[in-house]
Amino acid sequence: MQKILNFIDGEFKAGTGGEFANKFPTTGEIFAEVSAAGKSDVDAAVGAARSALKGPWGRMSVPERVSLLRKLADGINARFDEFLAAEIRDTGKPRSIASHIDIPRGAANFNVFADQILTASTETFEMKTPDGGDALNYALRGPRGVIAVVCPWNLPLLLMTWKVAPALACGNTVVVKPSEETPATATLLGEVMNEVGIPRGVYNVVHGFGPSAAGEFLTSHPDVDGITFTGETGTGEAIMKAAANGVRPVSLELGGKNAGIIFDDADIGATLEGIGRSCFANTGQVCLGTERLYVQRDIYDQVCEGLAQKARSYRMGDPFDQATTMGTVISAEHRDKVISYYDKARASGAQILAGGGVPDIKGYEGGYWVEPTVWTGLDEDHPVVTEEIFGPCTHIRAFDTEEEGIALANNSPYGLATTIWSTNLGTAHRVSKQIEVGITWVNCWFLRDLRTPFGGSKASGIGREGGVHSLEFYSELRNVCIKL
Ligand code: NAD
């Protein structure tokens, strides 16, 4: 049985928090035992990260750090197949997704933030003093210190390096707590860190659960200088409370209940293709995915039929088979959660246009399968329409006017992402401006330029990451004022 260990101060170490099983979601079989970090292990990881700030890492120039970041990207790519297999075993996601998105983007993040830090500038202001003399202000960019990185399971390597890369680019050290569901690629990255010569203690990984375990030990640790988190809104609230002790900054990328708005002048073929991906990709386990769809009445029937067809078109099975287009969800618990919403929809009289249950996948009966599902007919205050399900499902409702479409989309405590589908430029601009979210896509979905601000409004998060916005969170600006 494979053992997955913590990575502390450059070494793989068993933790004092016991062991837990790591399962392959496609079969439900245990394929690894994960060693959980206890409080003393988290102390050791934070201590190692603190010491590393004072070691060679802390003295490195930006070009030296940049060269190491590029080696990390190359190091992941050199072991691409190992990262790919580890990610597929942890998540059950198809090779067609992981080889296209998770691993290449997981590596690319290091190059993106290497470029970013090389061109990062700070402000300079000349001023007059009260006695008519001159003074000069300039800002210095330095690291914040030890950053806690707490990650979810839906895009494990990608979302982790999205935070580790800018943190290291800015000269911080990190302690990563991967999701208990997906510990493998963060651990493998420890090997790459050593291979490319990242000094010990700069990158540490502690495994385990959240409450009263590694996650909470880390986020409540007094020697952590900042916390960056991606996950559920409820967990974000707990982390924000922990961060209040000692007034530590947080960056929170949280949940969503994203709306799609389809206008009757949309290009239907391209829209169904795009909206289909946004509802079902990664078995619906994408924070940016669409779970509420509003369609202008003239094309409502056409979209319902087209999306239901799309839902039925996925091929489920062995994720290592290139022909598989949909995998399982992450765990038995998550399957049960998703299915509980399917049951609630049925019990409330929803019209089920596709799916609605658990498919029978021959040879993989122990896997955590759910059917891609499309409903109509539920009220806007129904839990299926208001709560984040995080499964391959969406509810469709018709609207008549632009104002109504906007009001329906905004009727949510969340504000992460929206997609707008229209060939009318005026409609696209007007609606984009009025939607209360951090990210709006027009006639596309998940088209990412990593320099752009990324994050959520309302209950979907605090702060923006991406490009210079990441540098703002992962660095401390110090103003120097010199009377000349
Ligand atoms: P989660 O909140 O359950 O767990 C995320 C991480 O937090 C895990 O590592 C977990 O162990 C840890 N954790 C849990 N409780 C904790 C606590 N009290 N203290 C410290 N750490 C704790 O989220 P998940 O189920 O892994 O991921 C799915 C969620 O993530 C969805 O809500 C999804 O929308 C969200 N998400 C958001 C984005 C975004 O960019 N906004 C991206 C991906 C996923």
Side-chain angles (χ1 to χ4, degrees):
M1 177 79 54
Q2 191 193 339
K3 293 269 181 208
I4 295 182
L5 300 177
N6 302 282
F7 183 68
I8 299 171
D9 204 16
E11 288 173 22
F12 290 94
K13 292 180 180 160
T16 57
E19 288 195 336
F20 61 96
N22 193 12
K23 292 182 181 167
F24 180 32
T26 312
T27 60
E29 284 161 356
I30 298 174
F31 72 91
E33 291 291 344
V34 188
S35 178
K39 203 164 183 319
S40 58
D41 307 308
V42 173
D43 285 347
V46 173
R50 174 67 55 201
S51 302
L53 283 170
K54 300 186 189 105
W57 180 251
R59 293 189 291 274
M60 254 179 220
S61 66
V62 169
E64 283 172 315
R65 283 206 306 270
V66 161
S67 144
L68 282 174
L69 290 176
R70 297 207 193 286
K71 284 184 186 162
L72 283 172
D74 293 344
I76 294 173
N77 285 327
R79 297 177 66 176
F80 192 95
D81 289 346
E82 275 175 86
F83 275 94
L84 183 63
E87 206 73 305
I88 293 173
R89 267 199 308 274
D90 264 0
T91 60
K93 69 173 71 194
R95 171 191 289 272
S96 52
I97 294 181
S99 64
H100 237 83
I101 298 176
D102 295 73
I103 310 305
R105 263 285 311 279
N109 283 334
F110 285 106
N111 281 328
V112 166
F113 289 104
D115 291 343
Q116 202 70 55
I117 196 69
L118 267 183
T119 54
S121 59
T122 58
E123 297 145 304
T124 307
F125 292 106
E126 289 179 306
M127 66 182 287
K128 285 286 177 198
T129 60
D131 59 5
D134 293 305
L136 175 68
N137 290 277
Y138 61 90
L140 293 172
R141 184 185 295 282
R144 275 196 192 280
V146 176
I147 305 288
V149 181
V150 183
C151 307
W153 43 256
N154 60 330
L155 297 156
L157 180 72
L158 184 162
L159 288 176
M160 190 232 337
T161 61
W162 172 244
K163 288 161 179 297
V164 169
L168 298 193
C170 293
N172 301 280
T173 58
V174 297
V175 181
V176 175
K177 211 299 279 171
S179 167
E180 55 275 23
E181 305 286 357
T182 53
T185 46
T187 311
L188 204 46
L189 186 59
E191 291 183 20
V192 177
M193 293 276 167
N194 283 348
E195 280 162 16
V196 307
I198 297 284
R200 54 195 299 164
V202 170
Y203 173 84
N204 305 274
V205 181
V206 291
H207 291 299
F209 294 80
S212 307
E216 193 178 320
F217 300 151
L218 178 61
T219 52
S220 57
H221 200 290
D223 209 24
V224 161
D225 299 301
I227 304 169
T228 179
F229 169 73
T230 304
E232 286 181 10
T233 295
T235 312
E237 287 172 347
I239 286 178
M240 211 171 157
K241 283 179 192 150
N245 283 332
V247 197
R248 278 96 46 82
V250 287
S251 173
L252 302 177
E253 297 185 341
L254 307 178
K257 186 72 181 177
N258 309 306
I261 315 175
I262 307 181
F263 289 93
D264 57 14
D265 57 12
D267 171 339
I268 289 286
T271 300
L272 285 172
E273 173 57 30
I275 206 76
R277 282 197 307 116
S278 81
C279 294
F280 307 126
N282 208 34
T283 322
Q285 303 164 119
V286 183
C287 56
L288 308 159
T290 305
E291 290 190 356
R292 301 182 291 142
L293 194 52
Y294 302 107
V295 183
Q296 212 158 15
R297 199 165 306 274
D298 281 357
I299 56 164
Y300 175 75
D301 290 339
Q302 207 181 345
V303 169
C304 286
E305 198 188 306
L307 198 62
Q309 253 178 37
K310 180 93 185 157
R312 288 187 218 104
S313 72
Y314 284 90
R315 183 166 161 170
M316 299 189 205
D318 177 4
F320 287 97
D321 181 345
Q322 189 66 30
T324 297
T325 53
M326 184 174 283
T328 58
V329 294
I330 190 71
S331 63
E333 295 71 30
H334 192 53
R335 176 203 49 207
D336 294 348
K337 177 185 162 186
V338 173
I339 292 299
S340 77
Y341 283 97
Y342 286 19
D343 292 342
K344 279 182 210 167
R346 187 177 291 105
S348 302
Q351 195 189 343
I352 303 166
L353 304 182
V358 173
D360 182 17
I361 309 296
K362 292 274 173 286
Y364 298 96
E365 287 77 6
Y368 313 132
W369 305 100
V370 297
E371 284 179 334
T373 294
V374 181
W375 311 276
T376 63
L378 294 172
D379 290 339
E380 282 299 289
D381 60 357
H382 191 282
V384 162
V385 186
T386 59
E387 295 172 12
E388 182 183 48
I389 301 172
F390 221 52
C393 53
T394 201
H395 179 265
I396 314 185
R397 176 192 165 126
F399 72 90
D400 292 298
T401 64
E402 187 175 305
E403 294 69 34
E404 188 189 358
I406 293 169
L408 286 163
N410 281 342
N411 183 24
S412 170
Y414 292 106
L416 188 54
T418 295
T419 57
I420 298 168
W421 304 85
S422 169
T423 51
N424 183 322
L425 206 53
T427 307
H429 282 296
R430 268 194 315 276
V431 178
S432 300
K433 198 170 170 181
Q434 294 174 72
I435 297 292
E436 297 157 357
V437 293
I439 305 142
T440 297
W441 277 291
V442 178
N443 296 328
C444 58
W445 176 72
F446 214 154
L447 186 57
R448 294 275 292 115
D449 182 323
L450 303 181
R451 296 167 298 183
T452 58
F454 180 90
S457 310
K458 302 200 267 188
S460 292
I462 292 185
R464 295 291 180 268
E465 297 201 33
V468 292
H469 309 282
S470 294
L471 303 190
E472 291 311 313
F473 179 74
Y474 295 104
S475 55
E476 191 83 51
L477 291 178
R478 297 184 181 85
N479 191 66
V480 180
C481 176
I482 302 184
K483 188 167 186 292
L484 300 174

